[in-house]
Amino acid sequence: MIRELLTSFSLTLIDALDTLLVLGNHSEFQRVASLLQDTADFDIDVNASVFETNIRVVGGLLSAHLLAGRAGMDLEPGWPCSGPLLRMAEDAARKLLPAFQTPTGMPYGTVNLLNGVSPTETPVTCTAGVGTFILEFATLSRLTGDATYENAARRALRALWKTRSDIGLVGNHIDILSKKWVAQDAGIGAGVDSYFEYLVKGAIMLQDEELLSMFLEYDRAIQNYTRFDDWYLWVQMHKGTVSMPVFQSLEAFWPGLQSLLGNLDSAVRTFQNYYSVWRQFGGLPEFYSIPQGYTVDKREGYPLRPELIESAMYLFRATGDHTYLQLGLDALESIEKITRTPCGYASVKDLRDHQLDNRMESFFLAETIKYLYLLFDPAHFLHGGGAEGDGSWEEGGEEGQCVLGAGGFIFNTEAHPLDPAALYCCSRHAQDRRELRDVLLSLSEPAEKSSSKSKPPNQQTESPPPGQSDSIALKPGEKKTPPLLSCPVQPFSARLSILGQVFTDNT
Ligand code: DMJ
């Protein structure tokens, strides 16, 4: 599937584009961004994974769009609320929307980019394939003013939330039409991982308490039923009995996520468990049997995944402990010594004998390299929180009203950074324009007529995303509440520290 995507719409180029900027290669970023604008085509007869296309292509284009100014690209007036890379991201996302047109709102796993969902498509989707859209889709909606994307992602999230078991867990694969759980293993790894990641990061990026409370409820059940000695096992979602006592390499994102929530002690202990596996093999095997302390048959490979390095980056930022730099050095050494080939870095087929595979995943360029670089560059602008004049923020928007990057960045699950300040700035401008239009309409037209025109076309049937209310005109008895985050008056990091108290109170 990914191979198909790669050849037909430049998946690797899109996935790797923002890494060029992170490494400081502006000229190559500009060349590739222009090349993509001239050549990438999503109007093709290809069956694509809805999840992968979203995290790699939509996410990659959105972050390239948001970073285009720093890369020295020519920006059109109105950027970051408009721009060619944003339009490309929207084109790609529009191709995914037919998958969400289901009675439940939960998406199919695969869509044909030209023809929509095949009538023979399976309705069985993994949990992450349902719940990993809010970051990209809300970014699109808030930058463009078209609420369709965020509404689709939220509808899917709410539908999935309702399917949790009586003990508060979700399984691995669900029938999106009947809402029946087809695979009932509950855990934090493959098939589920980024669902939890998006509840937390969505809560932070959108200052959204609904997403946060969903996560906190899941987290209570996860800690209760799946955690043993700071390992996380797989359990039956209805009974909580252990079904697979394995650690999967994909689970290594969890300590990083915990550190975002302020659960540092637990994050550090779990990281140490995972790091001990890394030291045993010089990499993380896809599956590791906890009771046996060894790899699992046919899952001995290490496809250069980023997750442990990603967690090391967050934990080094949070603690300053050099253990995390040591993991970075170990990773660099393994990657250079074991996986380097004349034309790329190869996935390790078997960590026991360091046999290589003839493939390199695009997440190696999008994530592994980026997180490694950021681990060793704590002053990088993507870490945020810098002082005025250190390049951590830039101006954007009409007449430069947007202060971009000042509140840090949220990485999507493919390590594509998204800028919450841009979202707030663009949705505020869209709101200003709607308010101005409402005022002008109310002056020129009779009351009922103007009220029927007050919604933008895309919001006629769906409610707008929070922060994008249609009108400033207050209904009788209604109080105007200030937005949770006001850009650019208050830096995002300041708001985050307040939200952090909510996180720690509950855990
Ligand atoms: C990436 O494609 C994403 O992080 C996804 O959520 C799962 N992990 C792979 C890389 O390991």
Side-chain angles (χ1 to χ4, degrees):
M1 178 73 60
I2 291 301
R3 209 179 293 273
E4 236 184 349
L5 295 179
L6 188 149
T7 48
S8 47
F9 60 85
S10 322
L11 177 129
T12 300
L13 271 187
I14 296 174
D15 216 6
L17 181 52
D18 57 17
T19 300
L20 291 169
L21 179 81
V22 171
L23 304 182
N25 194 341
H26 292 195
S27 56
E28 198 60 2
F29 179 101
Q30 291 173 18
R31 192 179 72 80
V32 172
S34 310
L35 184 73
L36 285 170
Q37 285 169 47
D38 295 339
T39 56
D41 182 10
F42 306 122
D43 225 4
I44 45 174
D45 186 3
V46 158
N47 292 329
S49 154
V50 180
F51 167 84
E52 299 288 0
T53 307
N54 177 52
I55 66 169
R56 301 187 195 212
V57 177
V58 180
L61 289 168
L62 283 173
S63 104
H65 161 73
L66 290 167
L67 297 174
R70 291 173 188 272
M73 301 277 295
D74 287 338
L75 301 174
E76 68 181 41
W79 176 90
C81 316
S82 69
L85 292 164
L86 177 60
R87 284 190 286 278
M88 284 176 72
E90 195 175 3
D91 278 355
R94 202 176 297 117
K95 296 289 185 181
L96 306 181
L97 287 178
F100 289 80
Q101 281 153 19
T102 61
T104 61
M106 293 191 276
Y108 282 95
T110 303
V111 70
N112 183 286
L113 297 184
L114 197 61
N115 305 315
V117 178
S118 155
T120 59
E121 186 53 46
T122 173
V124 178
T125 310
C126 71
T127 308
V130 176
T132 309
F133 294 91
I134 191 70
L135 290 181
E136 297 81 3
F137 279 25
T139 299
L140 261 182
S141 284
R142 296 192 186 201
L143 294 181
T144 63
D146 181 348
T148 311
Y149 306 100
E150 181 166 347
N151 287 337
R154 280 188 188 277
R155 190 167 166 241
L157 279 177
R158 287 181 183 141
L160 189 54
W161 172 242
K162 287 193 192 137
T163 65
R164 69 197 183 284
S165 70
D166 291 345
I167 60 171
L169 294 170
V170 283
N172 209 277
H173 279 74
I174 190 165
D175 182 322
I176 53 114
L177 300 179
S178 68
K179 299 189 248 175
K180 292 231 155 59
W181 284 100
V182 176
Q184 302 194 349
D185 296 295
I188 59 168
V192 191
D193 46 2
S194 50
Y195 170 40
F196 296 136
E197 179 184 355
Y198 273 38
L199 291 178
V200 174
K201 291 183 176 175
I204 297 170
M205 186 174 83
L206 305 169
Q207 300 274 286
D208 188 311
E209 288 171 22
E210 181 189 9
L211 301 181
L212 179 62
S213 64
M214 285 178 186
F215 177 80
L216 291 175
E217 195 170 319
Y218 281 132
D219 195 36
R220 273 190 286 277
I222 289 167
Q223 301 302 329
N224 254 338
Y225 294 101
T226 77
R227 180 173 159 187
F228 296 87
D229 289 340
D230 299 302
W231 294 96
Y232 291 85
L233 314 184
W234 290 83
V235 303
Q236 211 285 342
M237 65 178 279
H238 297 289
K239 301 182 199 137
T241 46
V242 175
S243 60
M244 270 193 301
V246 296
F247 155 61
Q248 300 179 345
S249 61
L250 284 167
E251 295 166 13
F253 80 103
W254 188 258
L257 197 71
Q258 285 184 307
S259 80
L260 283 179
L261 290 156
N263 300 336
L264 268 185
D265 291 347
S266 168
V268 166
R269 287 196 299 270
T270 298
F271 184 93
Q272 287 303 345
N273 283 347
Y274 298 170
Y275 190 11
S276 71
V277 180
W278 179 289
R279 281 194 296 258
Q280 194 176 342
F281 298 99
L284 281 189
E286 286 290 66
F287 282 36
Y288 177 83
S289 161
I290 297 163
Q292 288 170 352
Y294 207 62
T295 55
V296 171
D297 193 30
K298 300 201 174 59
R299 305 288 181 154
E300 299 92 351
Y302 170 55
L304 305 177
R305 289 196 188 279
E307 285 77 8
L308 193 64
I309 302 166
E310 172 186 354
S311 281
M313 180 196 78
Y314 284 113
L315 285 169
F316 181 57
R317 296 271 308 151
T319 64
D321 182 338
H322 283 216
T323 309
Y324 305 108
L325 295 182
Q326 186 57 51
L327 174 275
L329 282 176
D330 293 354
L332 253 182
E333 206 173 276
S334 289
I335 290 169
E336 279 298 320
K337 275 201 187 142
I338 304 171
T339 77
R340 189 175 185 154
T341 72
C343 51
Y345 289 84
S347 296
V348 181
K349 194 190 272 176
D350 192 329
L351 272 174
R352 293 168 305 174
D353 56 11
H354 295 169
Q355 246 189 87
L356 299 181
D357 234 337
N358 185 16
R359 59 184 294 132
M360 182 179 82
E361 301 289 340
S362 75
F363 57 67
F364 174 69
L365 301 174
E367 294 193 77
T368 311
I369 287 185
K370 191 184 287 152
Y371 284 132
L372 253 184
Y373 191 89
L374 291 172
L375 168 64
F376 289 112
D377 185 1
H380 199 282
F381 78 86
L382 281 177
H383 289 305
E388 192 173 334
D390 70 351
S392 64
W393 63 272
E394 62 175 341
E395 281 182 5
E398 286 152 36
E399 292 152 28
Q401 313 92 318
C402 297
V403 178
L404 300 170
F409 291 79
I410 300 292
F411 291 91
N412 88 338
T413 190
E414 190 74 1
H416 296 305
L418 303 170
D419 180 355
L423 272 62
Y424 279 88
C425 199
C426 292
S427 46
R428 201 193 52 202
H429 288 165
Q431 190 178 331
D432 287 350
R433 279 195 298 276
R434 282 197 296 275
E435 287 166 359
L436 182 63
R437 188 198 51 196
D438 280 357
V439 171
L440 293 174
L441 279 174
S442 67
L443 290 175
S444 63
E445 288 183 14
E448 324 91 80
K449 253 189 168 181
S450 66
S451 71
S452 71
K453 280 190 183 173
S454 68
K455 279 184 185 228
N458 58 300
Q459 292 177 13
Q460 291 290 344
T461 50
E462 302 262 23
S463 55
Q468 292 194 23
S469 66
D470 293 336
S471 167
I472 47 168
L474 296 182
K475 296 185 190 85
E478 194 184 8
K479 271 201 199 151
K480 182 92 178 163
T481 45
L484 274 170
L485 176 77
S486 44
C487 149
V489 185
Q490 190 174 24
F492 185 69
S493 50
R495 298 294 318 180
L496 181 53
S497 65
I498 295 168
L499 199 56
Q501 290 166 10
V502 180
F503 294 144
T504 41
D505 279 355
N506 284 283
T507 50

mmCIF file with all atom_site columns, all heavy atoms in Angstrom, residues 51-52 55-56 193-194 250 305-307 363 367 413-414, ligand 1:
data_model
loop_
_atom_site.group_PDB
_atom_site.id
_atom_site.type_symbol
_atom_site.label_atom_id
_atom_site.label_alt_id
_atom_site.label_comp_id
_atom_site.label_asym_id
_atom_site.label_entity_id
_atom_site.label_seq_id
_atom_site.pdbx_PDB_ins_code
_atom_site.Cartn_x
_atom_site.Cartn_y
_atom_site.Cartn_z
_atom_site.occupancy
_atom_site.B_iso_or_equiv
_atom_site.pdbx_formal_charge
_atom_site.auth_seq_id
_atom_site.auth_comp_id
_atom_site.auth_asym_id
_atom_site.auth_atom_id
_atom_site.pdbx_PDB_model_num
ATOM   1   N N   . PHE A 1 51  ? -5.639 6.368  7.176  1.00 0.00 ? 51  PHE A N   1
ATOM   2   C CA  . PHE A 1 51  ? -4.780 6.730  8.306  1.00 0.00 ? 51  PHE A CA  1
ATOM   3   C C   . PHE A 1 51  ? -3.406 7.202  7.813  1.00 0.00 ? 51  PHE A C   1
ATOM   4   O O   . PHE A 1 51  ? -2.943 8.292  8.166  1.00 0.00 ? 51  PHE A O   1
ATOM   5   C CB  . PHE A 1 51  ? -4.644 5.497  9.209  1.00 0.00 ? 51  PHE A CB  1
ATOM   6   C CG  . PHE A 1 51  ? -3.568 5.594  10.250 1.00 0.00 ? 51  PHE A CG  1
ATOM   7   C CD1 . PHE A 1 51  ? -3.807 6.217  11.460 1.00 0.00 ? 51  PHE A CD1 1
ATOM   8   C CD2 . PHE A 1 51  ? -2.304 5.043  10.030 1.00 0.00 ? 51  PHE A CD2 1
ATOM   9   C CE1 . PHE A 1 51  ? -2.809 6.299  12.432 1.00 0.00 ? 51  PHE A CE1 1
ATOM   10  C CE2 . PHE A 1 51  ? -1.304 5.121  10.993 1.00 0.00 ? 51  PHE A CE2 1
ATOM   11  C CZ  . PHE A 1 51  ? -1.556 5.754  12.196 1.00 0.00 ? 51  PHE A CZ  1
ATOM   12  N N   . GLU A 1 52  ? -2.747 6.389  6.994  1.00 0.00 ? 52  GLU A N   1
ATOM   13  C CA  . GLU A 1 52  ? -1.381 6.727  6.571  1.00 0.00 ? 52  GLU A CA  1
ATOM   14  C C   . GLU A 1 52  ? -1.371 7.980  5.701  1.00 0.00 ? 52  GLU A C   1
ATOM   15  O O   . GLU A 1 52  ? -0.468 8.813  5.817  1.00 0.00 ? 52  GLU A O   1
ATOM   16  C CB  . GLU A 1 52  ? -0.743 5.556  5.789  1.00 0.00 ? 52  GLU A CB  1
ATOM   17  C CG  . GLU A 1 52  ? -0.609 4.260  6.573  1.00 0.00 ? 52  GLU A CG  1
ATOM   18  C CD  . GLU A 1 52  ? 0.476  4.291  7.659  1.00 0.00 ? 52  GLU A CD  1
ATOM   19  O OE1 . GLU A 1 52  ? 1.137  5.325  7.813  1.00 0.00 ? 52  GLU A OE1 1
ATOM   20  O OE2 . GLU A 1 52  ? 0.627  3.268  8.347  1.00 0.00 ? 52  GLU A OE2 1
ATOM   21  N N   . ILE A 1 55  ? -1.706 10.944 8.196  1.00 0.00 ? 55  ILE A N   1
ATOM   22  C CA  . ILE A 1 55  ? -0.578 11.319 9.069  1.00 0.00 ? 55  ILE A CA  1
ATOM   23  C C   . ILE A 1 55  ? 0.650  11.712 8.256  1.00 0.00 ? 55  ILE A C   1
ATOM   24  O O   . ILE A 1 55  ? 1.403  12.589 8.654  1.00 0.00 ? 55  ILE A O   1
ATOM   25  C CB  . ILE A 1 55  ? -0.229 10.232 10.109 1.00 0.00 ? 55  ILE A CB  1
ATOM   26  C CG1 . ILE A 1 55  ? 0.309  8.959  9.454  1.00 0.00 ? 55  ILE A CG1 1
ATOM   27  C CG2 . ILE A 1 55  ? -1.444 9.914  10.978 1.00 0.00 ? 55  ILE A CG2 1
ATOM   28  C CD1 . ILE A 1 55  ? 0.908  7.969  10.459 1.00 0.00 ? 55  ILE A CD1 1
ATOM   29  N N   . ARG A 1 56  ? 0.860  11.064 7.102  1.00 0.00 ? 56  ARG A N   1
ATOM   30  C CA  . ARG A 1 56  ? 2.087  11.335 6.350  1.00 0.00 ? 56  ARG A CA  1
ATOM   31  C C   . ARG A 1 56  ? 1.897  12.447 5.331  1.00 0.00 ? 56  ARG A C   1
ATOM   32  O O   . ARG A 1 56  ? 2.727  13.355 5.225  1.00 0.00 ? 56  ARG A O   1
ATOM   33  C CB  . ARG A 1 56  ? 2.568  10.068 5.638  1.00 0.00 ? 56  ARG A CB  1
ATOM   34  C CG  . ARG A 1 56  ? 2.834  8.930  6.618  1.00 0.00 ? 56  ARG A CG  1
ATOM   35  C CD  . ARG A 1 56  ? 3.468  7.729  5.933  1.00 0.00 ? 56  ARG A CD  1
ATOM   36  N NE  . ARG A 1 56  ? 3.383  6.552  6.802  1.00 0.00 ? 56  ARG A NE  1
ATOM   37  C CZ  . ARG A 1 56  ? 4.271  5.577  6.840  1.00 0.00 ? 56  ARG A CZ  1
ATOM   38  N NH1 . ARG A 1 56  ? 5.319  5.611  6.065  1.00 0.00 ? 56  ARG A NH1 1
ATOM   39  N NH2 . ARG A 1 56  ? 4.109  4.545  7.646  1.00 0.00 ? 56  ARG A NH2 1
ATOM   40  N N   . ASP A 1 193 ? -2.266 2.822  19.470 1.00 0.00 ? 193 ASP A N   1
ATOM   41  C CA  . ASP A 1 193 ? -1.333 3.840  19.970 1.00 0.00 ? 193 ASP A CA  1
ATOM   42  C C   . ASP A 1 193 ? -1.700 5.307  19.702 1.00 0.00 ? 193 ASP A C   1
ATOM   43  O O   . ASP A 1 193 ? -1.903 6.105  20.626 1.00 0.00 ? 193 ASP A O   1
ATOM   44  C CB  . ASP A 1 193 ? 0.085  3.552  19.442 1.00 0.00 ? 193 ASP A CB  1
ATOM   45  C CG  . ASP A 1 193 ? 0.142  3.228  17.939 1.00 0.00 ? 193 ASP A CG  1
ATOM   46  O OD1 . ASP A 1 193 ? -0.904 3.265  17.290 1.00 0.00 ? 193 ASP A OD1 1
ATOM   47  O OD2 . ASP A 1 193 ? 1.246  2.947  17.425 1.00 0.00 ? 193 ASP A OD2 1
ATOM   48  N N   . SER A 1 194 ? -1.819 5.668  18.432 1.00 0.00 ? 194 SER A N   1
ATOM   49  C CA  . SER A 1 194 ? -1.966 7.099  18.130 1.00 0.00 ? 194 SER A CA  1
ATOM   50  C C   . SER A 1 194 ? -3.363 7.638  18.470 1.00 0.00 ? 194 SER A C   1
ATOM   51  O O   . SER A 1 194 ? -3.565 8.854  18.500 1.00 0.00 ? 194 SER A O   1
ATOM   52  C CB  . SER A 1 194 ? -1.614 7.380  16.673 1.00 0.00 ? 194 SER A CB  1
ATOM   53  O OG  . SER A 1 194 ? -2.294 6.487  15.839 1.00 0.00 ? 194 SER A OG  1
ATOM   54  N N   . LEU A 1 250 ? 6.230  -0.190 19.107 1.00 0.00 ? 250 LEU A N   1
ATOM   55  C CA  . LEU A 1 250 ? 5.384  0.996  18.905 1.00 0.00 ? 250 LEU A CA  1
ATOM   56  C C   . LEU A 1 250 ? 4.954  1.635  20.229 1.00 0.00 ? 250 LEU A C   1
ATOM   57  O O   . LEU A 1 250 ? 4.613  2.812  20.284 1.00 0.00 ? 250 LEU A O   1
ATOM   58  C CB  . LEU A 1 250 ? 4.133  0.613  18.102 1.00 0.00 ? 250 LEU A CB  1
ATOM   59  C CG  . LEU A 1 250 ? 4.344  0.406  16.603 1.00 0.00 ? 250 LEU A CG  1
ATOM   60  C CD1 . LEU A 1 250 ? 3.129  -0.264 15.984 1.00 0.00 ? 250 LEU A CD1 1
ATOM   61  C CD2 . LEU A 1 250 ? 4.616  1.729  15.903 1.00 0.00 ? 250 LEU A CD2 1
ATOM   62  N N   . ARG A 1 305 ? 12.350 2.404  13.713 1.00 0.00 ? 305 ARG A N   1
ATOM   63  C CA  . ARG A 1 305 ? 11.238 3.189  14.275 1.00 0.00 ? 305 ARG A CA  1
ATOM   64  C C   . ARG A 1 305 ? 11.742 4.292  15.195 1.00 0.00 ? 305 ARG A C   1
ATOM   65  O O   . ARG A 1 305 ? 12.794 4.171  15.833 1.00 0.00 ? 305 ARG A O   1
ATOM   66  C CB  . ARG A 1 305 ? 10.296 2.282  15.075 1.00 0.00 ? 305 ARG A CB  1
ATOM   67  C CG  . ARG A 1 305 ? 9.480  1.346  14.230 1.00 0.00 ? 305 ARG A CG  1
ATOM   68  C CD  . ARG A 1 305 ? 8.306  0.773  15.015 1.00 0.00 ? 305 ARG A CD  1
ATOM   69  N NE  . ARG A 1 305 ? 7.641  -0.268 14.269 1.00 0.00 ? 305 ARG A NE  1
ATOM   70  C CZ  . ARG A 1 305 ? 6.748  -0.067 13.313 1.00 0.00 ? 305 ARG A CZ  1
ATOM   71  N NH1 . ARG A 1 305 ? 6.421  1.172  12.980 1.00 0.00 ? 305 ARG A NH1 1
ATOM   72  N NH2 . ARG A 1 305 ? 6.181  -1.074 12.683 1.00 0.00 ? 305 ARG A NH2 1
ATOM   73  N N   . PRO A 1 306 ? 10.939 5.353  15.346 1.00 0.00 ? 306 PRO A N   1
ATOM   74  C CA  . PRO A 1 306 ? 11.370 6.500  16.132 1.00 0.00 ? 306 PRO A CA  1
ATOM   75  C C   . PRO A 1 306 ? 10.956 6.505  17.593 1.00 0.00 ? 306 PRO A C   1
ATOM   76  O O   . PRO A 1 306 ? 11.449 7.327  18.374 1.00 0.00 ? 306 PRO A O   1
ATOM   77  C CB  . PRO A 1 306 ? 10.620 7.647  15.436 1.00 0.00 ? 306 PRO A CB  1
ATOM   78  C CG  . PRO A 1 306 ? 9.333  7.006  14.988 1.00 0.00 ? 306 PRO A CG  1
ATOM   79  C CD  . PRO A 1 306 ? 9.703  5.601  14.604 1.00 0.00 ? 306 PRO A CD  1
ATOM   80  N N   . GLU A 1 307 ? 10.015 5.643  18.004 1.00 0.00 ? 307 GLU A N   1
ATOM   81  C CA  . GLU A 1 307 ? 9.284  5.917  19.255 1.00 0.00 ? 307 GLU A CA  1
ATOM   82  C C   . GLU A 1 307 ? 10.158 6.090  20.500 1.00 0.00 ? 307 GLU A C   1
ATOM   83  O O   . GLU A 1 307 ? 9.901  6.971  21.317 1.00 0.00 ? 307 GLU A O   1
ATOM   84  C CB  . GLU A 1 307 ? 8.216  4.833  19.500 1.00 0.00 ? 307 GLU A CB  1
ATOM   85  C CG  . GLU A 1 307 ? 6.969  4.956  18.617 1.00 0.00 ? 307 GLU A CG  1
ATOM   86  C CD  . GLU A 1 307 ? 7.180  4.462  17.199 1.00 0.00 ? 307 GLU A CD  1
ATOM   87  O OE1 . GLU A 1 307 ? 8.252  3.876  16.913 1.00 0.00 ? 307 GLU A OE1 1
ATOM   88  O OE2 . GLU A 1 307 ? 6.284  4.673  16.348 1.00 0.00 ? 307 GLU A OE2 1
ATOM   89  N N   . PHE A 1 363 ? 9.001  6.877  7.526  1.00 0.00 ? 363 PHE A N   1
ATOM   90  C CA  . PHE A 1 363 ? 9.030  7.472  8.879  1.00 0.00 ? 363 PHE A CA  1
ATOM   91  C C   . PHE A 1 363 ? 10.453 7.589  9.420  1.00 0.00 ? 363 PHE A C   1
ATOM   92  O O   . PHE A 1 363 ? 10.696 8.335  10.364 1.00 0.00 ? 363 PHE A O   1
ATOM   93  C CB  . PHE A 1 363 ? 8.105  6.733  9.856  1.00 0.00 ? 363 PHE A CB  1
ATOM   94  C CG  . PHE A 1 363 ? 8.352  5.253  10.043 1.00 0.00 ? 363 PHE A CG  1
ATOM   95  C CD1 . PHE A 1 363 ? 9.513  4.779  10.644 1.00 0.00 ? 363 PHE A CD1 1
ATOM   96  C CD2 . PHE A 1 363 ? 7.397  4.327  9.654  1.00 0.00 ? 363 PHE A CD2 1
ATOM   97  C CE1 . PHE A 1 363 ? 9.725  3.421  10.836 1.00 0.00 ? 363 PHE A CE1 1
ATOM   98  C CE2 . PHE A 1 363 ? 7.594  2.958  9.834  1.00 0.00 ? 363 PHE A CE2 1
ATOM   99  C CZ  . PHE A 1 363 ? 8.768  2.512  10.427 1.00 0.00 ? 363 PHE A CZ  1
ATOM   100 N N   . GLU A 1 367 ? 10.541 10.987 10.998 1.00 0.00 ? 367 GLU A N   1
ATOM   101 C CA  . GLU A 1 367 ? 10.492 10.958 12.464 1.00 0.00 ? 367 GLU A CA  1
ATOM   102 C C   . GLU A 1 367 ? 11.837 10.651 13.127 1.00 0.00 ? 367 GLU A C   1
ATOM   103 O O   . GLU A 1 367 ? 12.299 11.397 13.976 1.00 0.00 ? 367 GLU A O   1
ATOM   104 C CB  . GLU A 1 367 ? 9.503  9.887  12.936 1.00 0.00 ? 367 GLU A CB  1
ATOM   105 C CG  . GLU A 1 367 ? 8.066  10.156 12.590 1.00 0.00 ? 367 GLU A CG  1
ATOM   106 C CD  . GLU A 1 367 ? 7.160  9.233  13.373 1.00 0.00 ? 367 GLU A CD  1
ATOM   107 O OE1 . GLU A 1 367 ? 6.945  9.480  14.577 1.00 0.00 ? 367 GLU A OE1 1
ATOM   108 O OE2 . GLU A 1 367 ? 6.666  8.250  12.802 1.00 0.00 ? 367 GLU A OE2 1
ATOM   109 N N   . THR A 1 413 ? 1.505  12.382 14.773 1.00 0.00 ? 413 THR A N   1
ATOM   110 C CA  . THR A 1 413 ? 2.094  11.075 15.095 1.00 0.00 ? 413 THR A CA  1
ATOM   111 C C   . THR A 1 413 ? 3.187  10.672 14.107 1.00 0.00 ? 413 THR A C   1
ATOM   112 O O   . THR A 1 413 ? 3.889  9.684  14.310 1.00 0.00 ? 413 THR A O   1
ATOM   113 C CB  . THR A 1 413 ? 1.004  9.982  15.190 1.00 0.00 ? 413 THR A CB  1
ATOM   114 O OG1 . THR A 1 413 ? 1.577  8.791  15.714 1.00 0.00 ? 413 THR A OG1 1
ATOM   115 C CG2 . THR A 1 413 ? 0.389  9.692  13.835 1.00 0.00 ? 413 THR A CG2 1
ATOM   116 N N   . GLU A 1 414 ? 3.358  11.451 13.049 1.00 0.00 ? 414 GLU A N   1
ATOM   117 C CA  . GLU A 1 414 ? 4.441  11.213 12.093 1.00 0.00 ? 414 GLU A CA  1
ATOM   118 C C   . GLU A 1 414 ? 5.520  12.286 12.262 1.00 0.00 ? 414 GLU A C   1
ATOM   119 O O   . GLU A 1 414 ? 6.318  12.541 11.371 1.00 0.00 ? 414 GLU A O   1
ATOM   120 C CB  . GLU A 1 414 ? 3.837  11.216 10.674 1.00 0.00 ? 414 GLU A CB  1
ATOM   121 C CG  . GLU A 1 414 ? 4.734  10.750 9.558  1.00 0.00 ? 414 GLU A CG  1
ATOM   122 C CD  . GLU A 1 414 ? 4.985  9.252  9.474  1.00 0.00 ? 414 GLU A CD  1
ATOM   123 O OE1 . GLU A 1 414 ? 4.453  8.490  10.290 1.00 0.00 ? 414 GLU A OE1 1
ATOM   124 O OE2 . GLU A 1 414 ? 5.755  8.858  8.579  1.00 0.00 ? 414 GLU A OE2 1
HETATM 125 C C1  . DMJ B 2 .   ? 4.560  6.093  12.329 1.00 0.00 ? 1   DMJ B C1  1
HETATM 126 O O1  . DMJ B 2 .   ? 4.133  5.968  11.025 1.00 0.00 ? 1   DMJ B O1  1
HETATM 127 C C2  . DMJ B 2 .   ? 3.514  6.742  13.174 1.00 0.00 ? 1   DMJ B C2  1
HETATM 128 O O2  . DMJ B 2 .   ? 4.137  7.171  14.335 1.00 0.00 ? 1   DMJ B O2  1
HETATM 129 C C3  . DMJ B 2 .   ? 2.390  5.821  13.530 1.00 0.00 ? 1   DMJ B C3  1
HETATM 130 O O3  . DMJ B 2 .   ? 1.483  6.395  14.441 1.00 0.00 ? 1   DMJ B O3  1
HETATM 131 C C4  . DMJ B 2 .   ? 2.895  4.533  14.112 1.00 0.00 ? 1   DMJ B C4  1
HETATM 132 N N1  . DMJ B 2 .   ? 4.317  4.482  14.102 1.00 0.00 ? 1   DMJ B N1  1
HETATM 133 C C5  . DMJ B 2 .   ? 4.968  4.749  12.872 1.00 0.00 ? 1   DMJ B C5  1
HETATM 134 C C6  . DMJ B 2 .   ? 6.466  4.696  13.032 1.00 0.00 ? 1   DMJ B C6  1
HETATM 135 O O4  . DMJ B 2 .   ? 6.872  3.683  13.862 1.00 0.00 ? 1   DMJ B O4  1
#
